Amino acid sequence: MSRAIDHLVLCVNDLDAAIAAYSQLGFTVTPRAIHPFGTGNALIQLDGMYIELLSVVDPEKIDETDLAAPFSFPIYNRDYLRHREGMSMLALQSDDAERDRVDFINAGAAVPDVFHFERDAKTPDGDTVGVAFSLAFANHPLLRHAVSFVCQHRHPPENFYFPTYQSHANGAMAIGKVILDHWAADAVRDFYAEIGVDDLVETLHGDELVAAYGLDDPAFPTDGFAGYELIVDDISKIFDAAISLGALELKGRLILPPSKFFGVMVVISSK
């Protein structure tokens, strides 16, 4: 089983502030969108994958009766933000969420029913189009703050991805990998191998993370996603903006520390 990244969920307390910072970094950010269950987002679209900036925008729409459900997307992310800002979820590509749910069960994951939802989206021309998704979650007791799931897009691609949104002044091309910091890294690596994401997630414990990236930051989690690698076509396009936001040159790479960038380490490298 081999999987590919669909998107990253980055939880922020202030969606407008996050949009402004990512725009300052040279990204084209989509207009804000609202989920029917109390969260809202803005996206950074790349080639076949994207970054989701997510925040709780209407707490009263979060259904507290979902506390009795095996898993609730809005409650999980709301509670994550009570704990910290950062990358809360890794979404994987899927063309059949129901089938992937069965695969996750066979891999030993705790898997609730597939979650279906729809929302409106804005095109670059200002038109409103409908988009729809089906999510299947692969939960694990060691990963209560780092959930993985598949995301099946149930809409025409032209309703979601737009070349205008995929063009970025900073030369951003793709998400290279996700980095996870965990005190039980060996056990997590085994689980990731079972669900087919071990080649997408670099799983390290604290000392390994510091050694690999030359950064010891107080905002690193001990049981969650530390950040992600951003691949750009020319690092000079993003260099000045990244430095202005607190990036450091470490081990030959440009790194935004999580304490300076919404709880997420961004490792910037050129193709």
Side-chain angles (χ1 to χ4, degrees), residues 64-79:
E64 295 295 340
T65 62
D66 280 354
L67 285 169
F71 187 81
S72 163
F73 179 91
I75 288 177
Y76 168 78
N77 284 291
R78 179 199 65 188
D79 291 350

Side-chain angles (χ1 to χ4, degrees), residues 55-129:
S55 188
V56 175
V57 297
D58 192 346
E60 293 184 359
K61 286 187 177 179
I62 296 178
D63 186 357
E64 295 295 340
T65 62
D66 280 354
L67 285 169
F71 187 81
S72 163
F73 179 91
I75 288 177
Y76 168 78
N77 284 291
R78 179 199 65 188
D79 291 350
Y80 184 95
L81 280 171
R82 290 174 175 174
H83 166 65
R84 65 188 296 263
E85 287 188 297
M87 180 178 163
S88 63
M89 311 182 89
L90 167 62
L92 308 163
Q93 294 180 15
S94 173
D95 57 14
D96 188 338
E98 295 287 353
R99 183 193 62 211
D100 288 322
R101 178 179 182 270
V102 173
D103 289 341
F104 286 157
I105 291 171
N106 291 337
V111 185
D113 291 340
V114 172
F115 176 52
H116 308 279
F117 75 96
E118 301 176 0
R119 66 168 176 84
D120 289 336
K122 288 287 186 183
T123 72
D125 295 328
D127 296 329
T128 299
V129 294

Side-chain angles (χ1 to χ4, degrees), residues 181-212:
D181 180 12
H182 206 288
W183 59 270
D186 290 341
V188 173
R189 288 186 197 108
D190 290 343
F191 174 67
Y192 280 155
E194 288 294 325
I195 66 170
V197 301
D198 51 316
D199 59 338
L200 304 177
V201 183
E202 182 181 23
T203 303
L204 307 167
H205 63 67
D207 291 343
E208 292 174 329
L209 181 64
V210 173

Side-chain angles (χ1 to χ4, degrees), residues 133-153:
F133 307 88
S134 294
L135 315 181
F137 300 94
N139 298 329
H140 189 282
L142 288 174
L143 296 167
R144 294 183 300 112
H145 303 126
V147 169
S148 298
F149 65 97
V150 296
C151 180
Q152 178 185 358
H153 292 237

Side-chain angles (χ1 to χ4, degrees), residues 213-217 220 235 239 241-260 265-268:
Y213 292 96
L215 182 66
D216 189 1
D217 193 280
F220 280 141
I235 205 161
F239 186 89
I243 293 295
S244 74
L245 288 165
L248 305 169
E249 291 184 86
L250 297 168
K251 292 185 173 286
R253 289 169 288 204
L254 197 58
I255 299 178
L256 275 164
S259 59
K260 295 183 180 295
M265 177 175 72
V266 183
V267 179
I268 303 166

